Amino acid sequence: MRVLGIETSCDETAAAVVEGGREVRSSVVSSQVDLHARYGGVVPELAGRAHVELFTQVVTEALEAAGALDGAGGSPVDAVAATCGPGLVGSLLVGLSGAKGLAMGWGVPFVGVNHLEGHLFASLIEQPDLGWPLVVLLVSGGHTLLVEMEGPGAYRLLGQTIDDAAGEAYDKVARYLGLGYPGGPAIDRLAATGDPKAFAFPRAMRDDSYDFSFSGLKTSVVRTVERHPEAATQDVAASFQEAVVDVLVAKAARATAAVGARGLCIGGGVAANSLLRRRIAEAADRLGVPAYLPTLAMCTDNAAMVAAAGSWRLDHDGPSPLSLGADPNLFLPLIA
Ligand code: KG4
Ligand code: ZN
């Protein structure tokens, strides 16, 4: 079964063809970073319009690259999956409506996909032999979740951020430091040349739950730079990154041990962070479980993960109704 996946929840217009739920035949991602960079963040109205402009081209490229347009007549794919939430509503609607139109035109099933579940499926695509349960640290621009995954579709929430997402903290601190947008990659690069011990930034909620808090850290960075205007930006960046990664890894490792997980996995845009990847690998090593680090392209938003999650949902729950709406606040479906 060949599924066309479509992702337009934020500022990447993406389409991919995945076969058998796992084989990525094509994956096209068109980033709108240049469009939003001068505003220092994603401008929702501009993002929605850009998705409209890019949609046809990105979908066509994905179908062509997968060889799906080679056959004579018939439908190029067996189903169409699209992200229906969470995300920016004006952006979600573009991919969702486009996907429904294609499914109707081709006479194939349509399935709506939860973007967060998509991120969880990213590692499943690349790792055929996962042992369950897994602990997954999902860290993106909009979310910071620690999830126990018993298998596809079976998620238990261990903790989440009570304020800013980890990626949001990166983006806000980078903006404050004048490093531009998106902030994560910029801080990651600059931190490599700085001293992570230069400033002892706070580690919030270090000992209690599996929840996270990053807004105090951001404020602390601002106060520190105000007090030490002479501080080298790379030292601030490195110390900030050290504080974020320290907390993320400590909690993910503690959860892995507590749950008796058979693997520690990361996902979402911040999972592309070089220090986080290194520290998660070391932590997993210490715990004697495998670390699953998706490739960088599979960490950030893409449509292959949407097609993979969509394939599984289609098998498990069947198609979604064409009346399915976009839900900007959709949360991961949890088990008790
Ligand atoms: O998953 P994603 O592509 O989009 C959302 O669903 O939010 O994540 C984007 C986030 C942004 O906040 C970006 O700054 C962050 O991921 N990010 C990184 C890195 N690459 C992207 N954060 C830290 N280090 C990186 N290398
Ligand atoms: Zn995402």
Side-chain angles (χ1 to χ4, degrees):
M1 176 155 105
R2 285 212 285 202
V3 175
L4 169 66
I6 292 171
E7 156 63 39
T8 63
S9 67
C10 191
D11 62 341
E12 343 267 3
T13 315
V17 175
V18 170
E19 194 159 341
R22 169 160 291 163
E23 300 295 325
V24 182
R25 296 289 177 231
S26 67
S27 182
V28 178
V29 180
S30 175
S31 170
Q32 302 174 8
V33 160
D34 297 343
L35 176 67
H36 302 286
R38 66 173 147 146
Y39 302 102
V42 177
V43 183
E45 174 68 23
L46 294 183
R49 291 189 207 187
H51 286 306
V52 173
E53 282 165 18
L54 293 164
F55 181 87
T56 308
Q57 180 194 329
V58 167
V59 168
T60 307
E61 250 181 74
L63 291 171
E64 264 169 9
L69 298 178
D70 296 349
S75 168
V77 291
D78 303 303
V80 184
T83 304
C84 58
L88 302 169
V89 73
S91 291
L92 289 166
L93 281 171
V94 177
L96 195 60
S97 309
K100 289 177 187 174
L102 290 172
M104 280 174 81
W106 291 332
V108 299
F110 155 78
V111 62
V113 172
N114 182 314
H115 182 81
L116 300 173
E117 183 165 55
H119 275 301
L120 295 181
F121 267 76
S123 2
L124 274 61
I125 296 179
E126 296 181 331
Q127 302 286 344
D129 303 314
L130 294 169
W132 309 105
L134 281 182
V135 161
V136 189
L137 175 67
L138 181 47
V139 270
S140 71
H143 294 87
T144 299
L145 307 176
L146 201 49
V147 175
E148 178 190 350
M149 191 170 173
E150 277 187 6
Y155 317 116
R156 201 167 279 125
L157 183 68
L158 300 172
Q160 61 179 323
T161 183
I162 60 162
D163 41 54
D164 291 352
E168 191 179 354
Y170 266 96
D171 293 337
K172 285 178 175 170
V173 166
R175 174 137 95 171
Y176 176 70
L177 296 175
L179 300 176
Y181 172 85
I187 290 188
D188 195 356
R189 265 193 309 275
L190 190 63
T193 63
D195 175 8
K197 296 202 172 69
F199 300 99
F201 289 128
R203 272 71 163 158
M205 310 181 78
R206 179 74 207 232
D207 293 319
D208 22 23
S209 65
Y210 292 123
D211 287 335
F212 303 91
S213 166
F214 293 110
S215 76
L217 172 58
K218 175 196 64 199
T219 308
S220 175
V221 170
V222 173
R223 297 284 165 271
T224 301
V225 174
E226 283 170 356
R227 270 199 307 274
H228 304 276
E230 77 294 349
T233 306
Q234 61 266 37
D235 289 344
V236 178
S239 302
F240 161 77
Q241 174 156 285
E242 184 71 24
V244 174
V245 170
D246 194 15
V247 177
L248 291 175
V249 173
K251 299 212 177 202
R254 185 153 53 81
T256 303
V259 160
R262 295 180 57 202
L264 174 54
C265 184
I266 54 178
V270 183
N273 184 265
S274 57
L275 183 68
L276 180 64
R277 296 172 78 85
R278 199 161 67 236
R279 293 278 169 81
I280 284 284
E282 288 165 4
D285 223 32
R286 274 196 302 277
L287 290 164
V289 300
Y292 299 113
L293 312 173
T295 54
L296 300 194
M298 211 41 99
C299 291
T300 46
D301 288 349
N302 65 85
M305 67 185 199
V306 173
S311 300
W312 186 85
R313 280 287 160 198
L314 205 51
D315 275 351
H316 198 259
D317 301 335
S320 305
L322 287 172
S323 58
L324 181 77
D327 183 351
N329 301 315
L330 193 63
F331 198 68
L332 207 56
L334 301 175
I335 55 171

